[in-house]
Structure formats: C-alpha cells, structure tokens
Amino acid sequence: KLVSHLHLPVQHGSDRILMAMKRGYTAMEYKSTVRKLRAIRPDMALSSDFIVGFPGETEDDFGKMMKLIDDVGFDNSFSFIFSPRPGTPAANLADDTPHEVKLRRLQHLQGVINDSIKRISESRMGTVQRILVEGASKRDATELMGRTECNRVVNFVGQPRLVGQMVDVTISETRTFTLRGEVVTQDAALV
C-alpha cells in the first residue's frame, strides 16, 4: 500500500553539493527511488525541499538541481536560500556567492516549481477526486475545503455536516495552488 502524496526531501540535484551536504545519496539514486515509487503509483504527487546557494554552489550545480526538478515534476516544494546553522559543519564553509545571485536562483526555482504545480492542477480539470473535508474555506467561510488523496486543496459549496467525511467532487476550476469542485452526489441533502 502506498499513499498518493509523498514529501521526499532531496535538498539539491548536484552530486557535488549533495556530498558537501553529507546527504549520503546521489541525484541518480534519488531519481531511481522516484521511478520505483511511480512504477507502483504513477499519479503520485511528490513534494521536496531545496536549498539554494549552499557554499560553493556554481551555476553548473544549480543547473543540475533544475534538471532534477524538470525530470521529477514536483507537485510542491519548500525552497530556501542557504543560511548557516551554528554547530553544523556547513556553518564553517566559505560562502562567497552574492545574495543577489542566490535570490535570483531561488526565484527561478520557485517559478519552475509553480509552473509544474499549475500543469498538474490543470490535469485534474474535470476529474472526480475523493477528498477529506477539513472545514471552512480560508478564503470564503461560507464554503468548505478539503484535500485530495494527493494533498491538493479543493474549495467547494457544501453543508458543514460534511466536515470530517470523505466526499467525491468533480474539479470544475483550477488555480495554481488550489482547485474548485462540486460535490458528486445522488442525494441533494449532502450539498
């Protein structure tokens, strides 16, 4: 049994940087793990963590990270500019990459991830998704929100008694980070 969403931190796509981070795996090994997971669950949504501007990161290293991102097709990410943490080996590494370069790289990475998220959202248009209803929508308290099995937020019109239940919704609109849906039901009392 395998869930439809997995957060699988990779941190970087350059083997040189991964080794400097003491991660214990290569980009190829990470992609091999992803291939095995997707062989079992082809529509699995993957999110990850990325660190931009690790000491010594070159444009070539950054390019390798972007290649990994393109190859995998992440559904979300948590990405940050490197900041030294006291007591860690990386805190003592020389960091000569200008902050402006790090910021540019981070913005590029986030733009690529957002494009991927948008494509994945658009692929859900018209599909029926099973969601767990969590509560009121953050944007409109008169609506409900829930999460798909692949962890995508769906906002929809429904009765508060649906909170805590699994319901099927047809995706009627896509946005980059959220979906809109309509409850699929034979019983109008559920809507």
Side-chain angles (χ1 to χ4, degrees):
K1 295 192 177 205
L2 188 61
V3 295
S4 297
H5 173 264
L6 183 63
H7 183 75
L8 190 61
V10 65
Q11 308 298 335
H12 212 282
S14 164
D15 292 343
R16 191 178 73 77
I17 298 295
L18 288 169
M19 188 176 2
M21 290 177 167
K22 303 189 183 324
R23 292 295 169 189
Y25 53 84
T26 66
M28 186 62 72
E29 289 168 333
Y30 181 89
K31 288 193 280 190
S32 175
T33 298
V34 169
R35 276 192 298 278
K36 290 173 188 173
L37 291 166
R38 287 196 169 145
I40 298 165
R41 174 95 33 166
D43 59 346
M44 174 181 282
L46 282 174
S47 60
S48 192
D49 298 335
F50 296 99
I51 298 174
V52 174
F54 191 83
E57 179 187 73
T58 65
E59 283 296 329
D60 183 59
D61 293 321
F62 180 71
K64 288 176 180 173
M65 179 164 51
M66 296 310 300
K67 170 117 176 58
L68 180 132
I69 288 169
D70 287 340
D71 290 349
V72 172
F74 291 97
D75 194 70
N76 204 352
S77 79
F78 301 92
S79 45
F80 309 91
I81 291 176
F82 171 80
S83 59
R85 299 285 189 249
T88 65
N92 299 322
L93 296 175
D95 184 7
D96 59 356
T97 305
H99 182 74
E100 299 76 35
V101 171
K102 294 176 184 181
L103 187 57
R104 176 184 50 81
R105 289 175 183 171
L106 178 66
Q107 290 168 341
H108 177 71
L109 181 151
Q110 290 175 330
V112 168
I113 295 281
N114 287 349
D115 288 345
S116 179
I117 294 168
K118 185 177 180 185
R119 275 192 310 279
I120 293 167
S121 287
E122 289 170 351
S123 75
R124 306 277 195 264
M125 183 67 177
T127 64
V128 174
Q129 300 285 317
R130 187 111 177 116
I131 66 167
L132 172 61
V133 182
E134 292 184 2
S137 169
K138 290 179 181 169
R139 290 195 178 184
D140 183 346
T142 66
E143 293 186 350
L144 296 175
M145 68 77 63
R147 291 185 186 268
T148 66
E149 292 175 341
C150 62
N151 202 35
R152 188 59 61 99
V153 171
V154 180
N155 294 296
F156 64 99
V157 174
Q159 295 297 320
R161 68 177 166 273
L162 295 177
V163 173
Q165 296 185 40
M166 299 290 291
V167 298
D168 291 331
V169 296
T170 301
I171 303 305
S172 57
E173 185 180 340
T174 65
R175 298 182 178 155
T176 301
F177 300 104
T178 62
L179 305 170
R180 287 201 52 76
E182 299 169 6
V183 175
V184 176
T185 179
Q186 303 299 333
D187 180 2
L190 287 178
V191 180

